[in-house]
Amino acid sequence: MVFIAASVAAGYTWYRLRPAGIPAGFVYSNGRIEATEIDIATKYAGRIDQVLVREGDTVNAGQVVARMDTREMLAELHQAEAQLQQAQDSKVADQKLADLANTQFRFAARDYDRYSKLFQQAVIASQQLDTYQTKMDTYRSAFESTTAKVAADVGTINATRADIDRLQTQLDDRELKAPVRARVLYKLAEPGEVLSAGGEVVTLLDLTDVYMTIFLPELEAGEVPIGADARVVLDAAPQWPLASEVSYVSARAQFTPKSVETQVEREKLTFRIKVQLDPELLRKYEPWVKVGLPGVAYIKVDQHVEWPAQLQAREPTELLKIIPHQ
């Protein structure tokens, strides 16, 4: 799920961080660093067997973060595999019987045809022809019966394979994996706990989707296009404006949240805007990505103006010394 932090720094902070000499063609507002949160939850009810991560760990996409107890499911899978082998063996045996019955039927049919011609030539009596017809009909019934058994074996094999695929899928789903590269924000369950379907085990912070949410009044928001060039200036590192761009502009106005102070307090209706930080920059400084850091987002709405010197994007080469660890 996407977790949107509700708080933004107070008006005093906004004025303290506002650089002097911002020319026309820019809009700005204060906010806090946020990121997409992903809840890793169980698809099926069951007992937690292992939790393989700790809070603060970084995980890659596809990495297993927890495992459910699979002993009962494995027993069902082994039983289904044994049933599959039994059905396959039965098919082999029944196919041999069907092949034998088919051969016997063909010989009996050939004999019947030959003796039928002899009967038409009055060489043999009708009783002899009836004997060969009965023999042919018997082998025909045996062939049809064994063929039906082979078809039933094939149906059993297909059904058992489908059951094995279902069980294997359920076993795979009992390995809980990270969908993206992320940081473990919370560990919500421990080994031995029994969870219902949908029970949350860990919460991840998507390190590729970090942004600042700001609120702008109608006149300013109307000038902001999707993809507009932006800068994020953090309280903790005001000397390093971070390259970013506008990734979202709300389609409708909303009442300003109580925790937000706009430049003009009488502006009650504002538009929510997301300013996305550069993914390459995030990856480079991934260990220091933290949510909740307050700052100001600046957006260029006039493409003909240049960024002022104090807002030129600069990489935070000493970020470790400036931003404290969580």
Side-chain angles (χ1 to χ4, degrees), residues 46-236:
R47 186 185 303 275
I48 298 292
D49 185 38
Q50 294 176 298
V51 179
L52 304 174
V53 294
R54 299 173 298 178
E55 292 181 352
D57 286 352
T58 299
V59 295
N60 293 312
Q63 181 176 333
V64 178
V65 299
R67 289 189 176 96
M68 307 293 291
D69 187 349
T70 59
R71 287 173 294 181
E72 183 177 350
M73 188 68 63
L74 280 173
E76 293 183 26
L77 178 62
H78 294 157
Q79 182 180 10
E81 289 173 340
Q83 291 173 345
L84 175 62
Q85 185 61 52
Q86 184 179 13
Q88 289 173 332
D89 292 342
S90 179
K91 176 179 177 293
V92 171
D94 289 338
Q95 185 63 58
K96 290 180 179 180
L97 292 176
D99 293 341
L100 176 61
N102 183 39
T103 301
Q104 292 172 331
F105 168 67
R106 286 189 292 106
F107 277 115
R110 187 180 61 183
D111 288 343
Y112 175 77
D113 288 341
R114 185 170 68 251
Y115 281 97
S116 178
K117 293 177 182 178
L118 293 175
F119 172 75
Q120 293 173 0
Q121 296 170 2
V123 175
I124 62 172
S126 62
Q127 291 85 351
Q128 288 181 288
L129 181 63
D130 291 342
T131 299
Y132 285 101
Q133 182 172 1
T134 300
K135 185 178 179 181
M136 181 184 68
D137 291 342
T138 299
Y139 285 129
R140 178 191 290 116
S141 296
F143 172 64
E144 292 174 349
S145 176
T146 52
T147 301
K149 286 183 178 180
V150 172
D153 292 335
V154 171
T156 301
I157 289 172
N158 292 337
T160 307
R161 282 176 174 165
D163 199 33
I164 289 174
D165 290 342
R166 175 184 61 81
L167 291 169
Q168 188 61 59
T169 299
Q170 292 183 0
L171 278 170
D172 293 341
D173 287 337
R174 281 168 168 75
E175 280 196 341
L176 309 183
K177 300 178 182 180
V180 295
R181 183 170 175 83
R183 180 181 300 144
V184 180
L185 189 60
Y186 303 116
K187 187 168 71 169
L188 304 173
E190 297 291 342
E193 293 186 37
V194 177
L195 302 180
S196 59
E200 297 175 2
V201 180
V202 295
T203 298
L204 303 180
L205 196 67
D206 186 351
L207 297 176
T208 65
D209 187 17
V210 181
Y211 54 90
M212 178 177 284
T213 296
I214 63 174
F215 294 86
L216 291 176
E218 179 180 2
L219 292 179
E220 293 184 352
E223 299 179 325
V224 178
I226 299 293
D229 195 17
R231 300 288 184 268
V232 169
V233 179
L234 301 176
D235 289 23

Side-chain angles (χ1 to χ4, degrees), residues 283-296:
R283 182 60 187 264
K284 188 173 182 179
Y285 295 94
E286 188 178 84
W288 301 288
V289 174
K290 295 176 176 65
V291 297
L293 293 175
V296 180

